[in-house]
Amino acid sequence: MYPTIEYASPEEIKAFQEKKLQELLIYLSTNSKFYQTLFARENIQIEEIRTLEDLGIIPTTSKEDLQQFNQDFFCVSKDKIADFSTTSGTLGDPVSFGLSDADLDRLAYNEAISFACAGIKKGDLVQTMTTIDKRFMAGLAYFLGLRKLGAGIIRMGPGIPELQWDSILRYEPKFLITVPSFLLKLIEYAENHGIDYRNSSVFGAVCIGESLRNQDFSPSLLAKKITEKWDIKLYSTYASTEMSTAFTECEHQKGGHQHPELIITEILDENLKPVKEGESGELVITTLGVEALPLLRFRTGDIVKAHLEPCECGRTTLRLGPVIGRKQQMIKYKGTTLYPTAFDDLLNTYEGISAYQIIIRTNEIGTDEILVKISCVEESEKFIKELKDHFRAKLRVTPEVRVYEHQELLTMIHDLKSRKPIHFIDLRERF
């Protein structure tokens, strides 16, 4: 289950990807209306693009392109689509993606080798705490990948700690797949109901959607909070619908490993030029082996840092560090640059906060303004002051804080139209 290309030399990986890139360019020029138009408009001769460095000749593609020209990206007819998925719409309107039978096989392969990277083996029992409906590609990917790997699957879906514990105690899974902050709710429920969670069957959790690591790979506040109470292994994974590919940590937990046969990665600066080694920039991806809707030089909007030195696990592939933030979500507040992930880490681990939502808006003088909505166990002026002091100490800023009734705030966070909890809303004016 461990692809040999992941242990090849950097030169072999580069040569392998360049061959795959040439195959992709021929495929796009034959089947994609969007890229046919792009190549003609920019006078791009695909036979001249031989190396990964030559990719710079081709303009990047954005989420806005996918929204505006969605159908032009499809390379197969509608009757060849086996599954329709959509993006979560975090940075705008959701985008439709279709997967052919071959794409579903690729998705299963991607997740199987990703889970294997995190230590899940054939015969292990895994409880999935993510939705598989609502056109959510990730939930389907987890199911397909675990099945291909030969692991057993308990499809619980998100939320409801009582049912999750009933399933854990009944079936004894070794691994969980979940949003890490939900593990805190599982711990809280177990403590309140006398469940001996520390001696449960759970060995580890593959975590999605929230950061477990700082940039030096030390545990984030959220990861510390979980493992201080529950001594389980936490594995971070990063993926998106657009990539149809995951970057998952191995047992050494020093970044998500790239699968060279599935994706080409670039890290670009503000001028869309490659950053120097060790610097952060926007992740730009090119998918390999996708049949229905492949992407060439797609800008993810995520700010990351690549790590190129070989990993202790023996893999020589590029590793992605924790996502620093999303480019469109960058906040400039009183001279300080922030991303919502910094607030997430702080609010998820602050004692006494039961729910939160962050609102960014433009004030009357045209600068960013931050409002943090919270519900708390015990509201008091002292608690709010301590929270603001904590913001100031950790983030060097003091946002406006408003307290809401727990159920009222939960209604704002869990919109029935959204697959994910809405912890961040950007109301800023865009020009």
Side-chain angles (χ1 to χ4, degrees):
M1 189 49 71
Y2 299 124
T4 56
I5 189 63
E6 297 189 5
Y7 299 86
S9 70
E11 294 75 21
E12 288 173 313
I13 291 174
K14 185 173 185 291
F16 173 86
Q17 289 205 311
E18 287 172 347
K19 182 176 182 296
K20 292 288 186 182
L21 173 61
Q22 290 163 22
E23 293 171 2
L24 172 65
L25 290 170
I26 294 170
Y27 184 76
L28 291 174
S29 65
T30 306
N31 297 288
S32 170
K33 182 178 178 182
F34 178 85
Y35 287 109
Q36 288 169 349
T37 302
L38 176 67
F39 294 159
R41 185 178 69 236
E42 302 293 330
N43 194 28
I44 292 169
Q45 309 300 316
I46 61 170
E47 62 274 7
E48 295 177 2
I49 299 170
R50 313 297 298 176
T51 68
L52 297 185
E53 290 78 12
D54 293 339
L55 274 170
I57 298 169
I58 304 170
T60 57
T61 305
S62 68
K63 184 87 171 245
E64 289 72 27
D65 291 323
L66 277 171
Q67 289 167 335
Q68 189 175 356
F69 305 106
N70 198 186
Q71 293 304 310
D72 290 353
F73 278 87
F74 279 80
C75 292
V76 299
S77 57
K78 196 170 183 178
D79 64 312
K80 302 291 186 187
I81 302 297
D83 178 83
F84 280 98
S85 298
T86 51
T87 61
S88 61
T90 306
L91 296 179
D93 293 333
V95 173
S96 290
F97 274 77
L99 293 92
S100 67
D101 278 334
D103 292 335
L104 290 176
D105 290 340
R106 177 189 179 280
L107 196 64
Y109 169 80
N110 161 73
E111 290 298 339
I113 60 176
S114 295
F115 287 140
C117 188
I120 299 177
K121 298 180 174 62
K122 182 178 181 179
D124 286 342
L125 189 56
V126 183
Q127 184 158 314
T128 59
M129 301 178 175
T130 57
T131 185
I132 199 169
D133 58 1
K134 298 182 179 178
R135 303 194 301 264
F136 187 45
M137 183 187 286
L140 176 63
Y142 304 148
F143 177 82
L144 293 174
L146 290 168
R147 185 170 179 267
K148 185 174 183 63
L149 185 59
I153 310 163
I154 309 166
R155 293 178 294 107
M156 281 303 298
I160 319 178
E162 180 181 5
L163 289 180
Q164 301 289 356
W165 275 116
D166 175 77
S167 181
I168 291 169
L169 297 174
R170 185 187 301 267
Y171 300 111
E172 300 185 333
K174 184 177 180 181
F175 286 92
L176 309 176
I177 299 176
T178 184
V179 176
S181 58
F182 185 66
L183 292 172
L184 293 176
K185 297 187 186 302
L186 285 182
I187 292 169
E188 181 183 20
Y189 183 90
E191 290 178 337
N192 291 338
H193 292 82
I195 297 172
D196 185 12
Y197 63 92
R198 291 187 180 92
N199 290 310
S200 73
S201 63
V202 178
F203 168 82
V206 176
C207 296
I208 62 172
E210 295 166 344
S211 181
L212 294 173
R213 312 278 172 242
N214 298 315
Q215 288 302 309
D216 63 356
F217 300 121
S218 61
S220 68
L221 286 173
L222 177 57
K224 285 181 181 177
K225 183 88 169 181
I226 295 165
T227 54
E228 281 169 3
K229 294 249 185 181
W230 197 4
D231 186 22
I232 60 174
K233 298 289 185 182
L234 301 178
Y235 297 91
S236 184
T237 185
Y238 163 72
S240 70
T241 301
E242 293 91 345
M243 295 192 296
S244 295
T245 310
F247 293 77
T248 303
E249 290 181 332
C250 68
E251 67 271 22
H252 297 284
Q253 301 181 327
K254 292 185 177 178
H257 282 278
Q258 177 191 21
H259 302 309
E261 68 274 42
L262 299 180
I263 198 164
I264 294 170
T265 57
E266 302 172 78
I267 313 290
L268 304 184
D269 63 18
E270 288 286 338
N271 299 312
L272 300 181
K273 301 295 183 185
V275 299
K276 295 178 182 176
E277 187 172 335
E279 292 183 352
S280 61
E282 183 177 6
L283 176 65
V284 175
I285 58 97
T286 295
T287 56
L288 300 173
V290 174
E291 183 177 43
L293 208 159
L295 292 173
L296 176 64
R297 303 201 81 208
F298 176 76
R299 297 173 62 179
T300 65
D302 290 331
I303 307 299
V304 299
K305 185 185 294 185
H307 297 265
L308 304 179
E309 65 278 8
C311 182
E312 296 166 65
C313 70
R315 292 177 178 84
T316 55
T317 50
L318 169 150
R319 288 168 288 121
L320 288 185
V323 175
I324 297 167
R326 285 193 161 172
K327 192 170 183 180
Q328 286 183 244
Q329 293 180 345
M330 186 177 74
I331 305 161
K332 296 289 286 186
Y333 186 68
K334 297 183 179 179
T336 299
T337 299
L338 298 162
Y339 291 95
T341 48
F343 288 89
D344 288 334
D345 205 20
L346 189 151
L347 290 163
N348 273 322
T349 57
Y350 199 83
E351 292 286 350
I353 293 178
S354 55
Y356 71 89
Q357 189 177 67
I358 305 157
I359 310 291
I360 311 297
R361 56 197 177 192
T362 306
N363 61 24
E364 64 276 3
I365 60 173
T367 58
D368 290 349
E369 188 173 80
I370 306 170
L371 167 64
V372 177
K373 299 179 180 180
I374 64 167
S375 63
C376 46
V377 176
E378 189 175 331
E379 180 186 350
S380 67
E381 288 186 15
K382 181 184 177 184
F383 179 82
I384 300 303
K385 182 181 182 303
E386 288 176 352
L387 177 60
K388 287 185 174 182
D389 288 345
H390 196 61
F391 272 118
R392 192 179 297 113
K394 295 294 184 180
L395 304 181
R396 304 194 307 277
V397 301
T398 309
E400 180 185 355
V401 177
R402 290 185 196 168
V403 179
Y404 288 76
E405 289 292 329
H406 183 67
Q407 197 55 48
E408 180 186 4
L409 188 53
L410 283 185
T411 302
M412 300 178 197
I413 294 168
H414 296 283
D415 189 312
L416 293 176
K417 296 179 182 177
S418 176
R419 293 191 301 244
K420 300 178 181 178
I422 304 172
H423 288 295
F424 176 76
I425 298 176
D426 192 343
L427 300 177
R428 289 175 291 184
E429 298 172 8
R430 301 288 185 184
F431 299 100

